[in-house]
Structure formats: C-alpha cells, structure tokens
Amino acid sequence: MKVVILAGGKGTRLSEETSLRPKPMVEIGGKPMLWHIMKLYASHRFNNFLVACGYKGEMIKEYFDNYFIHSNDCFLDLKHGTREIVTSNGVDWRIGVIDTGVETMTGGRILRLRKWIGDEPFMLTYGDGLGDIDISSLVEFHRAHGKLATVTAVHPPARFGDLALDENVVRRFSEKPQTGEGWINGGFFVFEPGVFDYIADDHTSLEQGPLERLATDQELMAFRHNGFWQPMDTLREKHLLDSLWESGKAPWKNWE
C-alpha cells in the first residue's frame, strides 16, 4: 500500500522557517519533518512513498537525490570515478517525488497522483504532523469496516499548561501536549480508490469538500487515537518537537 504525503503548501504560519524551505523540510532534531513521518510508516513496513510537492519542491527532490551518498559511509576513487559503500544506512524506501503545483489544493494534489497510486487503497497524511500512531492497527481498522475512507481522530494539543488547583494552591502543573477533550482531524488517512470520485480538480480542498461529502454519505470512519499527536504550525510547536527529540523520549520514535 502506497503512502501519500502532502508536502506542497507554503506554511505561512511558520514563515520564520518556510521562507527558506518547504514546511516538511523544516528540521526536527537535525532531520526533516518529512523524514520523521516516513520513518514512522516504514517502522510498520510501509515504505512505498509518493510525496506531493509544490512550494520549493526542488529542495525535497535534491534531499532525496543526495540521501544515499549523505547517509552511507563510502570510499571514493577520484581517479577512476568509482565508489565503494562500506556502511549502509539500511533504509529500504521507494520514493516518488512528484510536482503537483504550487497553488494546487490538498484534494487536487491527490488527484494529480492518481496514475501513480493506481486502482488500489492508499494511505495519506500531511507533511507537518507527528504522532505515535499505530499505523498497522489503522490499516486493519480500515480493512474491517469496508467504507471508502478512514481518518485518524486525535485530541487537540493544549495551547497552555494545565493547572490542578486546590483553592489557590497549585497542586500540579503539566505542560501536556494533549487536552484529552474533543476530537479533530489528525491526518493519517486510509482511502479506497473510490475517493477519487469525490475530487473535482486542482481547486478541490480535501477538507472542505470530499471529506464532508464522504461523511454525509456515511463512507468516512474514524480511527480513534488517544496517544501523542502534534502538528508543527508555529515556531513554538517546532521547538516543542525539537525538545522532545533531544530528550530521547520522542513519542513518535518507535524505531531503533
């Protein structure tokens, strides 16, 4: 099953970083957000990716074009132009990096990838959010219900620290990442090819058209995720993800 990652938006709310690079290439712990997302999927043995590029997409292409040489140890023979790999990174990914247009909406990007996705189920997520999602269980849930689409429902991150008060005494302070209240769209979708019938053209927003109609048609199911989930919409959220990675306890890191 292919994994589509939407990586073409301009990320204007994170302009401190995205003026220089596409949002999925903003680094968390020295690695692009895109790499972290792909590692999550690959840890569940889903390693066939389609990256829907747009804004500054050439930087994504260049990153993966140079990934092999940058992440392996090797001996280079400059006289004969040969290269001997002595330590492999062990990454076994197949990646399609496809230009889907700078102004194309999220639904339109999916439609532009149709010929590479083929007539089979596929997964999709945004290039700016991380979570300790059990991808294997998500896929099992989707296959079991028989509908066209599954969305991962998550609890929204808390904007502020949580205070437990006893009169005016603070008994507990917690800068917790989730509120534990309500459900929102966390990305991490699974779609049947019938979803393409809900997308008209480049101007179709996945969220404002197709998902609403799928819900109306009772073809959209929710996979409830009660664990960690965090988008990277602001510089503060980038710093939060950085600090989690640097602590050695990043919740989404389930690989060695």
Side-chain angles (χ1 to χ4, degrees), residues 14 19 36 78 153 164 185 199 211-212 217 228 235 252-253:
L14 190 60
S19 61
H36 289 271
L78 300 185
N185 167 21
I199 304 173
L211 290 180
E212 293 174 348
D217 294 346
F228 174 85
L235 196 59
W252 67 90
K253 184 179 183 297

Side-chain angles (χ1 to χ4, degrees), residues 197-218:
D197 296 335
Y198 287 76
I199 304 173
D201 53 32
D202 280 0
H203 305 292
T204 303
S205 167
L206 174 66
E207 301 76 17
Q208 296 177 3
L211 290 180
E212 293 174 348
R213 290 173 53 208
L214 284 162
T216 299
D217 294 346
Q218 298 184 22

Side-chain angles (χ1 to χ4, degrees), residues 156-164 172-181 230 234 236-237 240:
R159 290 186 60 200
F160 307 103
D162 176 55
L163 300 179
R172 187 187 73 251
F173 179 89
S174 174
E175 188 70 10
K176 62 180 182 178
Q178 311 297 137
T179 64
E181 299 175 0
Q230 178 64 56
T234 66
R236 178 182 180 275
E237 290 170 338
L240 170 62

Side-chain angles (χ1 to χ4, degrees), residues 150-169:
T150 299
V151 58
T152 298
V154 300
H155 295 299
R159 290 186 60 200
F160 307 103
D162 176 55
L163 300 179
L165 301 180
D166 181 2
E167 296 296 336
N168 292 327
V169 178

Side-chain angles (χ1 to χ4, degrees), residues 181-198:
E181 299 175 0
W183 297 96
I184 62 172
N185 167 21
F188 296 94
F189 301 91
V190 186
F191 290 136
E192 296 296 316
V195 163
F196 288 118
D197 296 335
Y198 287 76

Side-chain angles (χ1 to χ4, degrees), residues 13 45 78 89 107 120 144 153 174 181 183 200 242 255:
R13 286 183 290 178
R45 300 185 179 181
L78 300 185
N89 58 34
E120 59 185 30
S174 174
E181 299 175 0
W183 297 96
D242 264 327
W255 60 87

